[in-house]
Amino acid sequence: MSLNKQIFAASVFAPKRLVAPDSWIKHIPFACFAVTVLRPNLIVELGVHSGNSFSAFCQAVVESDLSTKCYGIDTFAGDLHSRLYEESIFKDISNFVEGNFGKFASLIRSSFAESVDQFKGKSIDLLHIDGLHTYDAVSCDFAAWLPKVSDNGVILFHDIEVKGEDFGVWRLWAEIKDKYKITYEFHYGYGLGVLCLGENRLANALAEIAAKFDLEKCFYPAWSKLQTEFDKEQLLIQNQKLQDQFNQTLVETARINTLLEQCRNEALQVRDEAQAIRIKNENFCQRAEKLKLKCEQEKQDLWEGRIWLEQQYNNLQQSKTYRLGYHLTNCFKLREPFYNLSRLSALAIPLKYKAYFRNPSLLVKKLRSVISSLRKSILAHTINCKKSIKPVEIKQQPWSGPLVSVIVTCYNYGLFLDSVLGCLEAQTCRDFEIILIDDGSTDPETVARIEGLEKSQQPNLTIMQQPNQGVIAARNNAIAKAKGKYIFPLDADDTIEQTFLEKCLLFLENSPEHFFAYSWTHSTGDKDFIWETQDSDPEYSLVENRMGYALFRKSAFMQVGGYNPVMAGGYEDWEFCVNLVAHGYIGRVIKEPLYNYYVKPGARNYHAIKKHETLRGKISDLHRSAIKTHKRHLLQLAQQSYLVKNQLVNFSVNSKTECGNEFFLIDLYRSDIDFSAVREKLLTWLENSPVTLLVTLKGPWVDLFPAGCPDNVCVYYPELYHPDGDVKPFYEYLEFYYHPQRKNINELN
């Protein structure tokens, strides 16, 4: 077939499949031309999405009567650029390919890296790369699949003209043009790069066309026609939707007119009823006059009855029953409670209990004893109930990289960097990396501070730069580079207590993979209060945010698709936690104020609160359906008990903070000593203690112990760091990690 006929065949090519998105439609005529001219034996496409390009390749094979094999490779789950998409997309393209090209075309549902070994070296004649468009991703795909392409093969790169949103194909294409001799490019349709590894038929044909015509204008009439047809079809669909809305509006208008007519009829009826009421009112006034005369007579009778009742009342006041009721009522209303209690004790309390009212400390001691007994009974009952459910056994696997990646986002917050980096430096667990991402700061102080950090070359600190895109894009980009098993996003103007990472990691390493953890939040700045977060509740999480700033697995982040750009107006942390819950993850709270949130006017969250209902509605719309569908399963997951083995495998003794060689332990958790009785003594001793001290307390005392302890003091509440409240793993960790010397509270002086 001559070149003119091949160009004509591409120009009149009528694709069987044109669906959204339309990003590849303008290149379909060239796809037909390339297949017709090159006559490949094997075509492979990396990134099928909705199938416009893959279907065009297959249809061109049929119309050119070739024996070509075609393979489309995709996970059909989406990525950061194409966004996540539903299972229906895969079913639609799969059915189309099977029904039209099933004899020679197949879809492979896997990642590109998993599929590369299925193809022999130098076996592919035409390779189309259109997967994740970051520079790292497309470079990796090109390097992995290049050995599979024949010496005279052709490689197509889509989106070479897109330079925003972390797209990097343009950058790789610039490198390829410098390295390879035979390349062509089309600038329309987001750009298409054509790399010819050798002087094949397609390279010769393109060279001949380029010598005579403008290469891009050669295919313009064909793709313009296809684009017009696609746009026309979309307009027809939109027109039908508008027509349906118009018809619905007509129906609604008719319904409203009917209601108006009903209202008019009801108004006439009300007018008639008002007239009847006026007549009744006149009759009532006449009857009232008669009743007035009767009341005058009865008033005289009542006066005489009053005198008799006063005599009876005086007798009642002298009775013991009345006095008991009088003093008891005053106690309930807190009117002179001590006086009324003393009178009640004199009247009704047996002699053996009156000692409690003469000495209130005895009453307090008795109440604490009763509360302690009730708490032990409830705890024992809870443990017995959980023991009756057979736990699922899990073995914790070792992790080779840093255990946590702390993501610090910064935009003109250089003033706070010393504070946030200082709190990380003070952490009792040191197995973490810090990724500081600058979101295009313009403040000179911030720019200078970040430049200084870059020059310092701290071993666990990585600094990233990006144009200003907002906190969501900054976090997503930084987490993509993270090496940690767990991710902890930390805003530059916030801080955490020195045991935050240690306690969250201890909880999560004793939990299954579908758990994430957070603590209570201490709000500082314009407002000072403790935000007591709660364990995640699937339905309630859509109504109010009671989940804090969380530490979660990177695998969970990848599964749910990261932070959602739709929450650019705020509440991205709330939406992310709800997304985790909707995907089967369970949030657990450590009931200590370990996260310090700085409140200041004009901050991003300050403006988000003003749009609370709108943002909350977005979160509900995004996840209400999934949570409602899987509610029963989510609740069952939360009730399941787990037994984690090898839970200390990722805790290294070398990773703890270097705050001294010796650690002393005061174990008040397993002691019968009343903490309130020794609290002042312990606090005084802690202020002057030269050693590193570990203190264990029972959970109920968390409100009585100050949040800001000295750097050489760490306070623990053992039952808070295990999903089932089991304290044994904590004490095993304490011995393994610190090897503390035990010290008795009575030894303090």
Side-chain angles (χ1 to χ4, degrees), residues 481-501:
K481 304 288 186 181
K483 301 175 183 178
K485 177 180 181 181
Y486 299 98
I487 302 296
F488 176 57
L490 177 61
D491 290 339
D493 57 339
D494 295 340
T495 60
I496 53 177
E497 296 298 323
Q498 63 178 348
T499 57
F500 176 90
L501 291 180

Side-chain angles (χ1 to χ4, degrees), residues 413 415-416 419 491-495 521-531 549 571 595-610:
Y413 272 2
L415 177 66
F416 302 99
S419 175
D491 290 339
D493 57 339
D494 295 340
T495 60
T521 297
H522 181 199
S523 182
T524 61
D526 286 358
K527 298 180 181 179
D528 194 292
F529 61 94
I530 301 298
W531 178 32
Y549 300 95
Y571 288 2
Y595 189 99
N596 302 313
Y597 178 75
Y598 183 50
V599 180
K600 56 186 180 299
R604 185 168 175 270
N605 199 50
Y606 179 83
H607 296 290
I609 293 174
K610 296 181 179 180

Side-chain angles (χ1 to χ4, degrees), residues 95 101 109 123 149 168 323 340 351 357 370 386 397 404 409 524 527 533 538 556 652 657 660-661:
N95 292 335
F101 315 114
R109 193 170 191 180
S123 62
V149 182
R323 285 182 290 164
N340 286 288
L351 183 61
F357 294 91
V370 172
K386 290 188 175 181
Q397 299 298 322
V404 182
T409 54
T524 61
K527 298 180 181 179
T533 54
S652 169
T657 182
N661 295 324

Side-chain angles (χ1 to χ4, degrees), residues 48-120:
V48 178
H49 198 170
S50 62
N52 281 338
S53 55
F54 186 72
S55 300
F57 288 132
C58 294
Q59 185 176 341
V61 168
V62 173
E63 294 186 2
S64 298
D65 195 20
L66 302 178
S67 58
T68 306
K69 293 291 185 180
C70 299
Y71 294 94
I73 302 172
D74 203 321
T75 62
F76 293 97
D79 54 41
L80 291 176
H81 289 150
S82 65
R83 309 299 181 221
L84 302 181
Y85 42 84
E86 299 177 351
E87 182 68 16
S88 59
I89 290 181
F90 171 72
K91 292 181 179 179
D92 180 49
I93 181 61
S94 178
N95 292 335
F96 180 82
V97 171
E98 181 66 25
N100 292 276
F101 315 114
K103 293 182 179 181
F104 63 90
S106 301
L107 296 178
I108 300 176
R109 193 170 191 180
S110 72
S111 66
F112 303 158
E114 293 171 346
S115 326
V116 68
D117 292 334
Q118 298 183 29
F119 298 90
K120 297 179 180 180

Side-chain angles (χ1 to χ4, degrees), residues 162-235:
V162 183
K163 297 184 179 181
E165 297 185 7
D166 201 24
F167 277 68
V169 185
W170 64 272
R171 180 178 164 191
L172 176 64
W173 180 246
E175 296 172 0
I176 288 174
K177 289 197 298 182
D178 291 339
K179 183 177 180 182
Y180 293 90
K181 295 181 178 179
I182 307 176
T183 61
Y184 296 93
E185 55 190 11
F186 298 92
H187 299 285
Y188 54 80
Y190 303 98
L192 183 70
V194 182
L195 169 60
C196 298
L197 298 180
E199 294 185 358
N200 51 47
R201 287 186 291 269
L202 180 60
N204 295 333
L206 291 177
E208 184 178 344
I209 294 174
K212 298 178 180 179
F213 310 104
D214 184 336
L215 188 58
E216 292 196 1
K217 292 182 179 180
C218 181
F219 297 100
Y220 172 78
W223 67 253
S224 176
K225 177 182 178 183
L226 292 180
Q227 186 68 53
T228 302
E229 291 177 357
F230 177 81
D231 293 342
K232 180 180 179 181
E233 182 65 24
Q234 294 300 308
L235 287 174

Side-chain angles (χ1 to χ4, degrees), residues 363-600:
L363 179 60
V364 173
K365 185 175 182 180
K366 182 66 176 178
L367 288 173
R368 283 180 176 165
S369 175
V370 172
I371 292 171
S372 177
S373 299
L374 286 172
R375 182 176 177 273
K376 290 179 180 179
S377 298
I378 293 171
L379 182 60
H381 177 71
T382 302
I383 293 174
N384 289 334
C385 289
K386 290 188 175 181
K387 285 182 178 179
S388 63
I389 302 174
K390 184 178 180 181
V392 176
E393 292 190 2
I394 300 172
K395 184 177 181 181
Q396 199 63 260
Q397 299 298 322
W399 185 262
S400 58
L403 198 54
V404 182
S405 294
V406 181
I407 310 299
V408 179
T409 54
C410 178
Y411 176 69
N412 291 340
Y413 272 2
L415 177 66
F416 302 99
L417 286 179
D418 287 342
S419 175
V420 69
L421 294 177
C423 80
L424 293 174
E425 181 65 26
Q427 290 299 298
T428 53
C429 177
R430 304 291 301 161
D431 191 7
F432 61 87
E433 66 169 347
I434 304 172
I435 299 179
L436 172 61
I437 180 163
D438 177 26
D439 187 28
S441 295
T442 57
D443 171 48
E445 181 180 357
T446 302
V447 173
R449 184 70 185 94
I450 292 177
E451 288 177 353
L453 290 172
E454 286 181 319
K455 294 178 181 178
S456 67
Q457 295 183 346
Q458 299 180 27
N460 69 331
L461 175 63
T462 301
I463 296 179
M464 296 176 59
Q465 302 276 354
Q466 71 171 29
N468 181 247
Q469 301 176 35
V471 65
I472 293 177
R475 286 185 180 176
N476 286 338
N477 292 337
I479 294 174
K481 304 288 186 181
K483 301 175 183 178
K485 177 180 181 181
Y486 299 98
I487 302 296
F488 176 57
L490 177 61
D491 290 339
D493 57 339
D494 295 340
T495 60
I496 53 177
E497 296 298 323
Q498 63 178 348
T499 57
F500 176 90
L501 291 180
E502 178 186 26
K503 292 173 179 177
C504 288
L505 287 173
L506 186 58
F507 185 94
L508 291 174
E509 287 292 291
N510 279 279
S511 306
E513 291 189 353
H514 60 277
F515 274 46
F516 62 99
Y518 41 86
S519 71
W520 285 353
T521 297
H522 181 199
S523 182
T524 61
D526 286 358
K527 298 180 181 179
D528 194 292
F529 61 94
I530 301 298
W531 178 32
E532 296 185 358
T533 54
Q534 300 175 0
D535 292 343
S536 63
D537 178 278
E539 287 190 313
Y540 189 71
S541 64
L542 297 172
V543 179
E544 182 179 0
N545 182 20
R546 297 309 298 268
M547 295 177 285
Y549 300 95
L551 187 76
F552 50 86
R553 286 172 170 81
K554 184 176 180 181
S555 57
F557 173 88
M558 300 304 293
Q559 181 183 352
V560 305
Y563 287 91
N564 196 333
V566 78
M567 303 306 295
Y571 288 2
E572 67 279 349
D573 292 295
W574 181 8
E575 188 278 333
F576 179 76
C577 287
V578 174
N579 197 8
L580 287 175
V581 172
H583 279 78
Y585 288 86
I586 297 171
R588 287 294 188 89
V589 61
I590 297 175
K591 298 180 179 180
E592 297 179 57
L594 302 176
Y595 189 99
N596 302 313
Y597 178 75
Y598 183 50
V599 180
K600 56 186 180 299

Side-chain angles (χ1 to χ4, degrees), residues 242-255:
L242 293 174
Q243 184 63 42
D244 294 341
Q245 293 176 1
F246 177 74
N247 293 336
Q248 185 177 357
T249 303
L250 291 178
V251 173
E252 186 67 16
T253 302
R255 187 183 68 85

